[in-house]
Amino acid sequence: MRINVNENFHKLDNNYLFCEISRRVKACKEKKPEAKIINLGIGDVTLPLGRSVIETMKKACDEQSKKDTFRGYSPDTGYDFLKNAISNYYKKYGVSVDKEEIFISDGAKSDIGNLTDLFGDNTVYITDPVYPVYLDSNIMSSCKAVFMRATEENGFLPMPRAEYKTGIYYLCSPNNPTGAVYSREKLDTWVKFALETGSLIIFDAAYEAFIKGDYPHSVYEIKGAKECAIEVCSFSKTAGFTGIRCGYTVVPEKLNCESYSLNKMWRRRQSTKFNGVSYITQRGAESAYSDEGVAEWRKNIDCYMKNATRMAEFLKKRGIEYTGAYNAPYLWVKCPEGYGSWEFFDYLLENCHVTVTPGAGFGKCGEGYFRISSFCSPADMSEAIKRLGTLL
Ligand code: PLP
């Protein structure tokens, strides 16, 4: 073929991280077939969906079998019943979001990737370490990326700096991979900075439901954020929808770039390139906000967070430095002196058959760290702690 391809794809890191982890785990299994490997690298939920969500989806499925209740294409931006439920959920945090500002999607990852359609040539500011989708989607659309270092010195929470200019700033709180969470004061500084410099914040709140302390769950809890921020969120980690697929993005009506309304542009983008989320899924997502639905996913989150707390207590006892765990399902742990991320990954795999995620896979500043996920079963967490106890 002689067509022109998007050359930017050659600049991507070829999904190095998870392929490399699988390769090393496979090699270990071949060498020691009897070993039971415990996966603390997993970023996916493991507990089943709540009963009420399942029952609601079954009912919605039955509706599709009858002429009177059958539904075809859903509205491009989602059904009002789900938008109203999301709008009510925001009220819990004192945030008013109109249903015209909410766009239902098949998940946060798609929205984060697709948002680049709205923008021309900008500098994008991305934390290091980072959830790789922010970076890769911008590489694909040839935007210049500047890294904001998330290190021990800034508590893994980069803040505006004098040299930062007008651009698109990706913030994720609670953070994947570090588990760090922005305070109200810190987010307020970001919002003021964005307003002063004419910048846009893309705020990823995928882990908001894991927050236990007094931290903002939404960027819109901060005054002025409706004029400078888009918020992306998801039912994946909140209600266990990683396989069902449902998320949403809030594009405020007040969000304008010169004469362009980003809300209208995103509506146009979605109606052109997206044909909506299934009725069954949206009914399931709506029921995740019922009292029963919330109680069910809260129970699952409590289980993951108990895992995180137990691991944190173990690390603390052993004097191992970490962050995260109390407001996020991740712990960001410092490798012992002299070990790089991948070296320590190999050491744990080889000597106690536990896999973690090497920090270097999330960016240069991740070197010397690893991420532990608490999305495993309590039994696996107990066994992993026992095994790590013999080594660390
Ligand atoms: N944002 C962050 C920070 C994530 O860690 C993930 C998934 O791991 C996503 C977004 C993707 O969420 P979804 O399953 O809704 O696509």
Side-chain angles (χ1 to χ4, degrees), residues 223-346:
K223 195 165 163 259
K226 281 251 183 137
E227 280 113 83
C228 66
I230 287 175
E231 181 157 292
V232 181
C233 202
S234 169
F235 290 87
S236 282
K237 307 298 160 76
T238 304
F241 272 51
T242 53
I244 303 285
R245 309 304 306 144
C246 195
Y248 58 90
T249 285
V250 177
V251 187
E253 288 187 310
K254 286 191 208 161
L255 203 57
N256 298 314
C257 276
E258 308 287 340
S259 60
Y260 290 102
S261 151
L262 290 185
N263 176 290
K264 287 204 177 86
M265 285 173 71
W266 185 241
R267 191 173 301 282
R268 184 73 171 86
R269 191 264 168 220
Q270 291 299 79
S271 61
T272 302
K273 296 195 186 179
F274 186 61
N275 239 347
V277 176
S278 83
Y279 173 70
I280 299 162
T281 298
Q282 291 193 60
R283 277 293 184 205
E286 179 199 22
S287 76
Y289 286 127
S290 66
D291 289 347
E292 222 182 331
V294 171
E296 284 164 352
W297 57 252
R298 273 263 151 255
K299 208 165 135 209
N300 288 359
I301 287 184
D302 285 350
C303 173
Y304 299 136
M305 294 309 277
K306 270 190 197 130
N307 284 343
T309 305
R310 282 165 60 217
M311 178 55 84
E313 280 164 2
F314 164 76
L315 295 171
K316 204 188 268 169
K317 263 196 212 139
R318 297 291 165 116
I320 299 164
E321 286 179 52
Y322 70 93
T323 186
Y326 296 107
N327 295 291
Y330 300 121
L331 295 97
W332 188 240
V333 190
K334 207 166 185 174
C335 297
E337 195 68 38
Y339 279 94
S341 289
W342 280 106
E343 255 179 293
F344 198 60
F345 171 89
D346 286 338

Side-chain angles (χ1 to χ4, degrees), residues 12-54:
L12 295 168
D13 206 358
N14 246 349
N15 211 6
Y16 168 74
L17 176 62
F18 291 101
C19 289
E20 186 54 26
I21 291 175
S22 309
R23 194 188 66 73
R24 292 184 193 211
V25 170
K26 192 165 162 251
C28 175
K29 275 186 185 152
E30 277 164 12
K31 216 163 78 183
K32 300 178 184 169
E34 75 295 344
K36 183 188 177 299
I37 296 174
I38 296 179
N39 187 353
L40 297 187
I42 191 165
D44 194 358
V45 293
T46 51
L47 290 167
L49 290 166
R51 208 57 249 158
S52 61
V53 169
I54 293 292

Side-chain angles (χ1 to χ4, degrees), residues 7 25-26 35 42 117 120 127 133-134 166-167 185 190 197 224 245 252 273 320 349-350 352:
E7 299 279 349
V25 170
K26 192 165 162 251
I42 191 165
D117 277 5
T127 57
V133 183
Y134 312 151
T166 302
E185 295 67 35
W190 268 116
T197 56
R245 309 304 306 144
K273 296 195 186 179
I320 299 164
L349 180 59
E350 190 67 27
C352 62

Side-chain angles (χ1 to χ4, degrees), residues 28-289:
C28 175
K29 275 186 185 152
E30 277 164 12
K31 216 163 78 183
K32 300 178 184 169
E34 75 295 344
K36 183 188 177 299
I37 296 174
I38 296 179
N39 187 353
L40 297 187
I42 191 165
D44 194 358
V45 293
T46 51
L47 290 167
L49 290 166
R51 208 57 249 158
S52 61
V53 169
I54 293 292
E55 291 308 324
T56 305
M57 286 200 291
K58 278 186 185 166
K59 200 170 140 250
C61 199
D62 276 346
E63 286 179 46
Q64 294 294 75
S65 71
K66 294 176 199 115
K67 193 168 177 299
D68 288 350
T69 49
F70 170 79
R71 298 182 190 229
Y73 287 124
S74 78
D76 303 318
T77 65
Y79 283 106
D80 278 356
F81 61 76
L82 180 53
K83 293 183 184 184
N84 287 334
I86 292 169
S87 182
N88 280 334
Y89 183 72
Y90 270 108
K91 282 187 193 142
K92 247 178 47 176
Y93 303 117
V95 170
S96 161
V97 176
D98 190 83
K99 67 179 169 50
E100 297 307 319
E101 300 178 309
I102 299 170
F103 297 81
I104 310 299
S105 73
D106 62 346
K109 188 179 190 175
S110 321
D111 283 352
I112 293 161
N114 294 333
L115 276 167
T116 58
D117 277 5
L118 302 194
F119 308 111
D121 192 15
N122 290 295
T123 302
V124 296
Y125 291 80
I126 288 172
T127 57
D128 175 7
V130 70
Y131 173 58
V133 183
Y134 312 151
L135 178 62
D136 288 354
S137 52
N138 277 289
I139 292 177
M140 287 177 188
S141 56
S142 70
C143 276
K144 179 174 165 259
V146 170
F147 290 101
M148 306 186 286
R149 291 165 58 81
T151 60
E152 222 175 304
E153 290 69 44
N154 58 22
F156 303 96
L157 294 166
M159 293 303 294
R161 293 167 70 105
E163 67 269 26
Y164 293 172
K165 305 265 177 337
T166 302
I168 300 177
Y169 288 79
Y170 285 79
L171 301 180
C172 174
S173 176
N175 191 269
N176 177 15
T178 67
V181 55
Y182 278 108
S183 66
R184 233 165 277 283
E185 295 67 35
K186 285 193 158 74
L187 264 193
D188 188 56
T189 305
W190 268 116
V191 167
K192 286 198 175 106
F193 168 81
L195 291 171
E196 273 159 25
T197 56
S199 296
L200 173 73
I201 294 172
I202 296 184
F203 190 80
D204 186 340
Y207 295 96
E208 64 78 22
F210 292 78
I211 294 175
K212 288 196 275 190
D214 180 24
Y215 295 93
H217 287 242
S218 161
V219 70
Y220 304 122
E221 289 178 51
I222 310 299
K223 195 165 163 259
K226 281 251 183 137
E227 280 113 83
C228 66
I230 287 175
E231 181 157 292
V232 181
C233 202
S234 169
F235 290 87
S236 282
K237 307 298 160 76
T238 304
F241 272 51
T242 53
I244 303 285
R245 309 304 306 144
C246 195
Y248 58 90
T249 285
V250 177
V251 187
E253 288 187 310
K254 286 191 208 161
L255 203 57
N256 298 314
C257 276
E258 308 287 340
S259 60
Y260 290 102
S261 151
L262 290 185
N263 176 290
K264 287 204 177 86
M265 285 173 71
W266 185 241
R267 191 173 301 282
R268 184 73 171 86
R269 191 264 168 220
Q270 291 299 79
S271 61
T272 302
K273 296 195 186 179
F274 186 61
N275 239 347
V277 176
S278 83
Y279 173 70
I280 299 162
T281 298
Q282 291 193 60
R283 277 293 184 205
E286 179 199 22
S287 76
Y289 286 127

